[in-house]
Amino acid sequence: MGFGKSVGKKDSLELEGTLASLLRRIRKVELGAPAHTTKSHGAALAMNHKHDWLILLFLAMVEVTLIITHPFHRFVGKDMMEDLKYPMKDITVPVWSVPIYAVLLPIAIFLLVYICRGDVYDLHHSTLGLLFSVLVTAVITDAIKDAVGRPQPDFFYCCFPDGKDV
């Protein structure tokens, strides 16, 4: 169909069918209609994204392997000790709180949004994205730590708590 041409009977029937199809879809997505819930779409959604979940499982296995792997042991000479004499401090952020702030708190917020909006797609994709970002960050960080093996800044005071070397 171009400008200035008349619409044939075949074209008008095709256009009518397309409009009817569009109107049927619009009626299905009326305001206030029930959203996609975990009961109605949860299993199908997880199956559609099974490859994503398998990649997450693979990343988790790589992370566990990196945690178990012993890091590269670097020789620390007497002349290198000056860079490693930072005073020992207590842990400022407890190890147990990191997963709570990085994973559990955001998932709790996602669940609250899901309760309010009721859309399983938002819940699924936000959880999947969060887990991907956390696991990719953990794998990259631990791989670099294992490969480089640099001692921590307070290495001297860990080895010599009284501050006097041998």
Side-chain angles (χ1 to χ4, degrees):
M1 254 185 328
F3 291 110
K5 292 184 178 178
S6 62
V7 178
K9 189 170 191 170
K10 182 180 177 186
D11 289 334
S12 83
L13 287 175
E14 191 176 302
L15 185 61
E16 219 173 272
T18 305
L19 285 174
S21 169
L22 183 62
L23 286 173
R24 279 194 300 273
R25 273 193 255 152
I26 289 172
R27 279 191 213 115
K28 285 182 184 176
V29 188
E30 291 178 17
L31 291 175
H36 302 108
T37 62
T38 51
K39 288 182 181 178
S40 65
H41 289 81
L45 183 62
M47 287 306 292
N48 285 341
H49 293 276
K50 65 182 169 203
H51 294 102
D52 294 333
W53 289 104
L54 288 173
I55 291 170
L56 275 178
L57 183 64
F58 173 73
L59 284 172
M61 290 188 309
V62 169
E63 177 60 20
V64 168
T65 305
L66 287 171
I67 289 172
I68 293 171
T69 305
H70 292 287
F72 171 74
H73 295 285
R74 176 180 286 201
F75 172 75
V76 180
K78 194 170 184 108
D79 58 331
M80 297 171 67
M81 280 296 183
E82 285 304 313
D83 293 336
L84 304 173
K85 283 188 174 180
Y86 287 92
M88 271 184 86
K89 292 173 66 175
D90 289 336
I91 296 174
T92 53
V93 178
V95 176
W96 59 266
S97 69
V98 174
I100 291 174
Y101 290 127
V103 179
L104 296 179
L105 183 64
I107 288 178
I109 293 170
F110 298 156
L111 286 170
L112 286 173
V113 170
Y114 172 70
I115 290 168
C116 294
R117 293 185 56 188
D119 193 359
V120 73
Y121 288 99
D122 289 343
L123 176 64
H124 178 265
H125 296 324
S126 58
T127 304
L128 194 64
L130 174 73
L131 293 177
F132 260 118
S133 64
V134 167
L135 283 172
V136 166
T137 303
V139 166
I140 291 172
T141 304
D142 287 341
I144 291 172
K145 280 181 176 180
D146 286 348
V148 174
R150 185 178 189 285
Q152 57 192 28
D154 61 355
F155 177 77
F156 178 81
Y157 289 103
C158 288
C159 295
F160 307 104
D162 59 355
K164 297 177 184 173
D165 58 351
V166 186

